[in-house]
Amino acid sequence: MSQPFSGNRRAFLKLLGLTLLATQVPVTANPLPLLKPRRLNPGDTVGLISPAGLVDQKTLDEIAPTLSQLGLKTKLGTHLFDQYGYLAGQDVDRAADVNAMFADSSVRAVLAMAGGWGCNRILPLLDYELIRQNPKIIIGYSDVTSLLLGIYTHSNLITFHGPLGTSTWNWFSIQHLQRILFDGAAMTLQNLLSTPVETITPGKARGRLVGGNLSLVAALVGSDYLPDWQNSILFVEDIREEVYRIDRLLTQLKLAGILDQVAGFIFAQCTNCPAGEANEPSLTLRQVLADHIKPLGIPAWYGSMIGHIQDKFTVPIGGMVEIDAERGTIRLLESVVI
């Protein structure tokens, strides 16, 4: 005959259940001290890698003169021109190029040449302790968002959302890159008058700037390659996503608890993001942002010059900033390089 649970047994099982539940909660806070990479100087060597989509000789020929004018030498990743379907080589080889560039003492910075797709696939293959022991600038955007966030999360190294090798390296983009990565300026990033911002909720907030391409941030939800969001400033951008998809992606961040943790929000640029096919009913992007972001009550705006546009800021993932949602400014509170 079975016996009823005693009070002690109930208490024990309750404690056991809570313990098991606790072990399943991912810990995203990084206990390691934050690292800043060494600044760039003329004469430094930049390693060129293809961690995602394909790169050809034409792309290299187009970016090489610009890097030379900045006084930078280049070193090509061993697998820079590899191809595996739509990827720039096998996962293990693309990851090997990332690891090799950090291990190479002659390389002072790492530039991702293209986005596309593929960085998520190599995150488990990176040597994050090696990267932490050899901190250096790594820069890119779009699909490279995953690489930047993974390295920041696991190595606690500030990374940089900025131009790719395939980007338009115009005066605006180069000037901002130089001021931050060469000069180490704690500057204020403010849009050109020709690119106005739209305030969602006014106010100021401080925190570590974290984010990137919205689709890639959402694609990492549930993994351990996203950082601690508590009191951070989240920025996102995207390209060629219909408004209902932006709605879906922001909903995913909301349901994952991310939006409820951040202290400020910036939706930078959504390039070629249509409301839908002709005659199809649709919300506008502004309505979607009002639905998801305005109820948070945190400083937020739309339109910062980050993302798939010609004139773009270079911004530090992990850097301390203060944002002003009425002016649409991002003020670096300290130099993000040493």
Side-chain angles (χ1 to χ4, degrees):
M1 180 176 179
S2 62
Q3 298 294 321
F5 284 141
S6 68
N8 287 341
R9 290 181 69 189
R10 289 194 187 96
F12 170 76
L13 291 176
K14 181 178 180 181
L15 178 61
L16 177 62
L18 290 173
T19 302
L20 290 173
L21 179 62
T23 63
Q24 298 175 35
V25 177
V27 178
T28 55
N30 196 324
L32 299 172
L34 184 71
L35 287 179
K36 298 178 182 180
R38 175 186 174 277
R39 71 185 64 201
L40 280 171
N41 290 291
D44 284 347
T45 296
V46 176
L48 307 183
I49 60 170
S50 300
L54 301 173
V55 170
D56 56 20
Q57 184 65 46
K58 180 183 178 183
T59 303
L60 179 61
D61 293 342
E62 290 174 348
I63 186 59
T66 300
L67 297 177
S68 179
Q69 289 171 12
L70 289 170
L72 300 173
K73 304 172 186 176
T74 57
K75 183 168 187 175
L76 307 188
T78 301
H79 303 282
L80 184 68
F81 298 122
D82 283 7
Q83 180 175 357
Y84 175 58
Y86 43 74
L87 300 169
Q90 297 279 355
D91 295 349
V92 65
D93 292 328
R94 287 180 287 116
D97 274 3
V98 177
N99 291 331
M101 289 301 181
F102 276 93
D104 189 336
S105 60
S106 71
V107 172
R108 295 298 189 180
V110 184
L111 171 65
M113 291 293 287
W117 162 250
C119 286
N120 289 43
R121 294 174 55 136
I122 69 172
L123 293 179
L125 304 175
L126 300 183
D127 188 338
Y128 295 102
E129 181 56 29
L130 168 71
I131 292 171
R132 180 165 178 80
Q133 294 302 320
N134 300 275
K136 57 190 69 175
I137 290 165
I138 181 167
I139 185 169
Y141 77 105
S142 195
D143 186 75
V144 181
T145 289
S146 302
L147 189 61
L148 303 178
L149 288 174
I151 290 174
Y152 169 61
T153 299
H154 282 275
S155 300
N156 223 22
L157 170 67
I158 291 178
T159 58
F160 295 91
H161 188 283
L164 293 162
T166 54
S167 296
T168 302
W169 289 66
N170 57 18
W171 173 85
F172 182 92
S173 300
I174 291 173
Q175 181 191 47
H176 282 81
L177 182 146
Q178 284 182 304
R179 292 281 288 138
I180 291 174
L181 300 187
F182 283 75
D183 301 340
M187 64 185 298
T188 297
L189 306 176
Q190 185 165 18
N191 281 19
L192 296 170
L193 293 177
S194 58
T195 309
V197 301
E198 300 176 27
T199 302
I200 300 170
T201 304
K204 296 180 180 180
R206 290 189 175 195
R208 297 213 175 272
L209 187 66
V210 186
N213 182 266
L214 176 58
S215 297
L216 274 300
V217 173
L220 290 173
V221 169
S223 75
D224 65 350
Y225 297 104
L226 287 178
D228 181 8
W229 297 101
Q230 195 65 45
N231 298 320
S232 65
I233 307 297
L234 172 61
F235 75 95
V236 295
E237 60 84 28
D238 224 312
I239 184 171
R240 292 190 293 273
E241 295 288 357
E242 291 187 29
V243 170
Y244 84 89
R245 294 177 181 170
I246 299 296
D247 188 353
R248 183 175 63 199
L249 294 166
L250 289 174
T251 299
Q252 186 174 4
L253 300 191
K254 173 67 175 180
L255 295 178
I258 293 173
L259 295 184
D260 292 326
Q261 297 181 60
V262 301
F265 178 84
I266 306 164
F267 199 116
Q269 297 288 323
C270 204
T271 306
N272 298 329
C273 294
E277 300 291 336
N279 301 321
E280 282 189 351
S282 176
L283 296 172
T284 67
L285 179 59
R286 275 63 177 178
Q287 286 174 313
V288 168
L289 294 177
D291 288 345
H292 289 292
I293 306 304
K294 200 164 186 62
L296 301 176
I298 58 175
W301 82 90
Y302 171 84
S304 188
M305 295 176 67
I306 302 170
H308 290 76
I309 52 176
Q310 290 194 355
D311 299 326
K312 61 169 60 66
F313 299 139
T314 291
V315 296
I317 292 180
M320 279 295 297
V321 302
E322 180 181 80
I323 62 168
D324 185 328
E326 289 182 270
R327 298 174 59 212
T329 57
I330 304 170
R331 181 167 70 91
L332 276 61
L333 296 178
E334 58 186 0
S335 174
V336 289
V337 292
I338 56 175

